[in-house]
Amino acid sequence: MSAVITASGLSKRYKSSLALDNVSFQIAPGRIVGLIGPNGAGKTTALKAILGLTDFTGSLNVLGFDPRKQRDKLMGEVCFIADVAVLPRWIRVREVVDFVANVHSRFDRKKCEAFLARTKLQPGQRVRQMSKGMIVQLHLALVMAIDAKLLILDEPTLGLDILYRKQFYQNLLEDYFDENKTIIVTTHQVEEVEHILTDLMFIRDGKIVLDADMDAVGERFIEVMVNSDNAAAARTLKPLDERQVFGKSIFLFDGVERAQLEALGEVRRPSVSDLFVATMKGTYA
Amino acid sequence: MKTFYWLVKREFWEHRGGFFWAPVITGGVSLLLTLMSLVTGEILGRRNNLFHFDGGDSIGPNGHLDVSMLGNVGGVLDCVLFGVIALMLGIMAIVVFFYCLGSLYNDRRDRSILFWKSLPISDGQTVLSKVASATVVAPVIACIVGVVTGLLLMLMVACAASLHGLNLWQLLLHVHPLQVIASVVALIPLYVIWALPTAGWLMLCSAWARSMPFLWALLLPPASLLMVWWFGLLGLFKVGAGWFWGNIVVRLLMSLIPGGWLRDVPALGHGLHADTPDALLDFLGVAQNYAALASPDLWIGAIAGVAMIAAAIWFRRWRDDS
C-alpha cells in the first residue's frame, strides 16, 4: 500500500527560527506513530503543515492531496484533535453533533450517539459547562464517528486526570483503530502511549533524529545493567547514556551487538522515555 | 449548499442573543412602553376629564371617519409600522457591526478555529456564510420582528381609539401592512449591496488583526483621513478631506445603517418635502430607493466590499497564529 504521508525537504521558517529544517519522512497506513520531541522542537509545526494550516517549503503529499491547495478536500479524510478544549465554548452537544453530521459526509451519527451514551454528557449541555475531560470525551466521540483515514492528535490529553487519559487511549484502540487507519500522536506523556505505538519519531530542533518502528527500536537500542567492576568496559563501547541505580550503572547503547552486551550484565529493552531523555540530552542547554 | 445552510445556522446558534433576542426584547419593551402610556393617558384623562374628543365634521354617526381622514390615518399607521421596523434595523445595525468585528477574530482568540478548520469546509464558504448572516439573516429577522411588533402596536392604539368611539376595524382596514412588508423585503437586496463595504472592512480587520480588531477597524479610517487632510494642507494631494470623509470613512464604518443610500438618490438630495403621510410613504417607496442603483458610488463601494471580503478569505486561510 502506498504511504499515507510523504514529506520531502519540508522546511518552515518563522521570523527568528527554523521550525522545520529540511525534514523528510514517510508514514505507511495502519500505523500509530508517536511524534515526540521537546517543547519548540517543531512537532506542532509539522502537524500544521500536514493539515494545511500553515505554509511551508518542500513537498508534502497527504493521502494524495497537497495540503496547501486542497485543504478542504483533505479534511474530508483527516481528523484532528488539537490540544484539549478547542471546541467552541458556546456550542451545545446537540448542536455540534447536528452540525458535524450535516457537513461531514463520513460522519456516522449513530456511532457518535452510542459513544456519547457512555458518557455523562447531556444533549443540551454547553461546552462551557463541561470539565476539560468531558470536552475531550465529546471531541473524541465526534472524531471516532468519522470514518477518516488519518487521525492527528496534538497533545490530546494535556491537563486531563489519569482516568480520562487511560480511557482516551483505550477507546481509540478498542473502538477506532484498524489496519486502514493511521494515527499520529504527539504528547509529553510518553509512558502512556508507549505501548500503543507502532512507530516512533523523535524530532529535535526541526530535524527528525529518530524514525523507526518499535521492533527496530527494540533491536537497535539496548539497556544494560552493569556491576561497577564491568563499568569501565561498558564505557569503551560508547554508550548513549549512563545513570546510576542502587550502586549499579545502567548504560544505553545504540547499535551494539546484543551478545557483546549480554556478557556485561542484564540486558533489557529501554523505555521510550529513557531513550527520549538520552537522545535529547543538552536540548535546553 | 447544505453545508452553507448549516454554516449560517451555526452563526445563528452562536449569535442568537444579538440576532434574535435583541430585536424581540426591543419590541417587547416598546410594546410595554406604549401600553403604559396608553393606560396613563386613559387614567389621567378620565380623572381630569380631559376628553372632549369630537372629531368635528370628520366623524360620522357610527364612529366612521370620512374618506380623506381615513387615508391619512392609514398612512400614519403605516408610518408607525415603518418606524418600528426602522428601530429594529437600527438595533440590528449595532449588533451586526460588532458581529462582523468578531466574526473572524473570536474563534482565533479562543482557538476554536482549530475545530472549525478540522472539518471539510472551505474558508471561502465560512467567510461567505458570515457575510450572509450579517447582511441577509440579521436584517430579515429584524424586519419580521419589526412587522410583528408594529402590528401589535397598531392593534393596541386602535383598541384605545375604539374606546373613544372610533371604529376599530375600519381603521385597521386602511393600514397596508402587506405593502409595507413587501417594500421592506424588496429593499433587502439593496441593503446587501450598500452594506458590503462596511461588512467587508470590518471582517477584513477581524481576519487580519492579531489583536484588537476593534481599534484597527475604528482608528485606521480616521487616521488616514488625518493624513489626507495634512497632505491637503501641504497641497500634495488633490482629494479633499470632505470627500474622503463622505466617501471613504463613512462608507467603511457606517454603511450597515439601512437607508444610507438615500443620499445618493438625486430626487431626495434636497431634503425631505413630505406634507402628508402618503408623501412620506412614497419617499420610502421601493422605486425611489432603487434609484440609488444609478449612482456609481454604490457600485464602487460594493466592489471595494467584495475585494475586502476576498482579502478576508485569504487571511482566514493563511493567518497562522492559533
Side-chain angles (χ1 to χ4, degrees):
Chain A
M1 249 172 130
S2 62
V4 174
I5 302 177
T6 310
S8 59
L10 212 60
S11 293
K12 167 77 185 177
R13 175 178 285 284
Y14 286 112
K15 264 173 205 156
S16 53
S17 62
L18 206 55
L20 287 178
D21 185 2
N22 202 18
V23 168
S24 302
F25 59 88
Q26 272 205 346
I27 293 175
R31 315 298 292 183
I32 303 182
V33 182
L35 182 61
I36 295 167
N39 291 331
K43 296 179 305 247
T44 301
T45 307
L47 296 188
K48 274 186 169 174
I50 291 169
L51 292 163
L53 292 173
T54 190
D55 205 3
F56 53 84
T57 59
S59 87
L60 179 59
N61 180 315
V62 184
L63 296 164
F65 299 106
D66 180 342
R68 281 170 292 193
K69 293 185 187 122
Q70 299 159 295
R71 211 190 77 79
D72 32 318
K73 278 199 201 109
L74 175 64
M75 294 319 287
E77 317 262 331
V78 180
C79 277
F80 170 42
I81 300 187
D83 60 34
V84 284
V86 298
L87 290 180
R89 293 174 55 72
W90 55 268
I91 210 162
R92 294 172 194 274
V93 174
R94 184 190 329 123
E95 291 171 341
V96 76
V97 173
D98 267 352
F99 185 77
V100 178
N102 283 286
V103 300
H104 208 304
S105 54
R106 290 168 172 270
F107 183 78
D108 180 346
R109 194 181 186 120
K110 286 213 177 69
K111 233 179 177 178
C112 181
E113 277 160 2
F115 289 133
L116 287 175
R118 303 202 305 224
T119 66
K120 284 186 179 172
L121 296 165
Q122 300 301 314
Q125 203 171 8
R126 284 183 198 273
V127 169
R128 76 163 69 93
Q129 298 159 339
M130 298 175 192
S131 71
K132 244 182 179 179
M134 292 164 92
I135 299 174
V136 174
Q137 279 183 330
L138 173 58
H139 205 160
L140 190 64
L142 291 168
V143 161
M144 292 208 307
I146 295 173
D147 181 27
K149 294 195 183 118
L150 174 63
L151 172 62
I152 290 180
L153 305 168
D154 186 9
E155 294 286 358
T157 55
L158 195 72
L160 297 193
D161 69 37
I162 186 140
L163 296 175
Y164 279 121
R165 292 205 303 260
K166 288 272 179 211
Q167 194 198 26
F168 181 89
Y169 289 113
Q170 200 179 339
N171 284 347
L172 267 188
L173 274 188
E174 287 174 6
D175 300 320
Y176 183 76
F177 183 69
D178 60 41
E179 69 276 13
N180 298 317
K181 294 189 162 78
T182 305
I183 300 179
I184 302 179
V185 53
T186 74
T187 181
H188 291 299
Q189 272 131 0
V190 187
E191 321 79 54
E192 274 167 25
V193 293
E194 184 168 355
H195 60 282
I196 70 169
L197 297 181
T198 63
D199 290 75
L200 197 58
M201 261 195 210
F202 282 177
I203 184 168
R204 177 179 180 175
D205 297 332
K207 292 194 175 81
I208 306 264
V209 292
L210 173 72
D211 179 6
D213 67 46
M214 290 301 271
D215 296 337
V217 168
E219 282 164 25
R220 189 176 140 187
F221 295 95
I222 298 172
E223 210 169 56
V224 198
M225 198 182 270
V226 181
N227 285 325
S228 48
D229 43 334
N230 277 339
R235 279 188 199 108
T236 60
L237 295 171
K238 297 201 178 137
L240 272 183
D241 189 40
E242 175 185 350
R243 59 203 158 93
Q244 312 293 328
V245 178
F246 304 128
K248 291 187 171 188
S249 298
I250 297 179
F251 292 94
L252 179 63
F253 291 97
D254 177 3
V256 178
E257 279 296 318
R258 177 172 283 263
Q260 205 175 356
L261 296 175
E262 273 167 351
L264 290 170
E266 192 188 328
V267 171
R268 64 181 186 195
R269 184 196 178 113
S271 73
V272 172
S273 44
D274 287 337
L275 194 57
F276 177 74
V277 170
T279 317
M280 300 298 161
K281 237 187 304 176
T283 301
Y284 299 129
Chain B
M1 210 52 225
K2 185 180 164 209
T3 301
F4 195 79
Y5 167 78
W6 281 92
L7 279 169
V8 172
K9 196 161 179 168
R10 178 195 83 183
E11 295 304 313
F12 179 73
W13 282 338
E14 184 175 0
H15 299 278
R16 207 177 270 138
F19 285 180
F20 181 70
W21 289 112
V24 165
I25 290 170
T26 314
V29 168
S30 53
L31 286 176
L32 187 70
L33 288 177
T34 312
L35 183 68
M36 280 162 64
S37 53
L38 284 175
V39 169
T40 315
E42 289 295 324
I43 290 175
L44 291 184
R46 264 169 216 225
R47 194 176 293 158
N48 302 318
N49 200 19
L50 287 176
F51 287 115
H52 303 290
F53 184 75
D54 55 356
D57 302 332
S58 49
I59 294 191
N62 298 319
H64 289 268
L65 297 172
D66 72 18
V67 180
S68 68
M69 260 301 249
L70 263 179
N72 276 345
V73 171
V76 167
L77 288 181
D78 281 350
C79 287
V80 168
L81 192 50
F82 260 123
V84 174
I85 294 173
L87 172 72
M88 294 300 171
L89 289 174
I91 305 269
M92 184 260 337
I94 299 170
V95 168
V96 167
F97 186 91
F98 287 100
Y99 165 77
C100 287
L101 268 180
S103 59
L104 299 171
Y105 174 74
N106 290 344
D107 56 2
R108 286 193 292 139
R109 195 187 46 191
D110 70 12
R111 305 188 69 229
S112 60
I113 186 174
L114 290 174
F115 173 67
W116 301 121
K117 284 214 171 191
S118 76
L119 297 168
I121 301 168
S122 71
D123 296 291
Q125 268 184 314
T126 305
V127 173
L128 290 181
S129 76
K130 287 168 192 265
V131 174
S133 302
T135 56
V136 181
V137 176
V140 166
I141 295 174
C143 287
I144 293 171
V145 177
V147 167
V148 172
T149 311
L151 290 178
L152 289 173
L153 207 68
M154 268 183 218
L155 205 63
M156 273 162 67
V157 174
C159 282
S162 72
L163 288 178
H164 297 280
L166 287 176
N167 188 303
L168 166 70
W169 304 113
Q170 191 201 13
L171 209 58
L172 285 183
L173 281 179
H174 280 262
V175 183
H176 319 93
L178 291 181
Q179 196 185 327
V180 173
I181 294 166
S183 48
V184 169
V185 169
L187 287 177
I188 285 178
L190 182 61
Y191 177 73
V192 174
I193 300 173
W194 178 256
L196 277 176
T198 300
W201 168 246
L202 296 177
M203 289 175 75
L204 175 59
C205 290
S206 185
W208 163 78
R210 287 195 195 276
S211 62
M212 294 185 290
F214 181 77
L215 277 187
W216 287 110
L218 229 55
L219 289 185
L220 275 185
S224 43
L225 176 69
L226 191 70
M227 292 309 288
V228 168
W229 175 77
W230 183 63
F231 278 124
L233 273 190
L234 299 179
L236 294 172
F237 211 44
K238 291 284 175 251
V239 171
W243 179 91
F244 192 84
W245 167 260
N247 288 287
I248 306 291
V249 180
V250 167
R251 287 292 268 137
L252 283 181
L253 293 178
M254 319 254 264
S255 298
L256 287 171
I257 301 168
W261 56 81
L262 287 174
R263 66 172 196 178
D264 289 337
V265 178
L268 301 169
H270 310 293
L272 180 59
H273 301 292
D275 302 325
T276 64
D278 285 339
L280 186 64
L281 289 175
D282 274 349
F283 170 75
L284 295 166
V286 176
Q288 284 278 25
N289 281 280
Y290 272 89
L293 287 183
S295 86
D297 180 10
L298 184 87
W299 293 107
I300 294 170
I303 291 166
V306 169
M308 288 188 285
I309 288 167
I313 293 173
W314 190 87
F315 278 116
R316 178 72 174 182
R317 174 69 184 88
W318 292 112
R319 214 17 149 196
D320 172 24
D321 53 5
S322 48

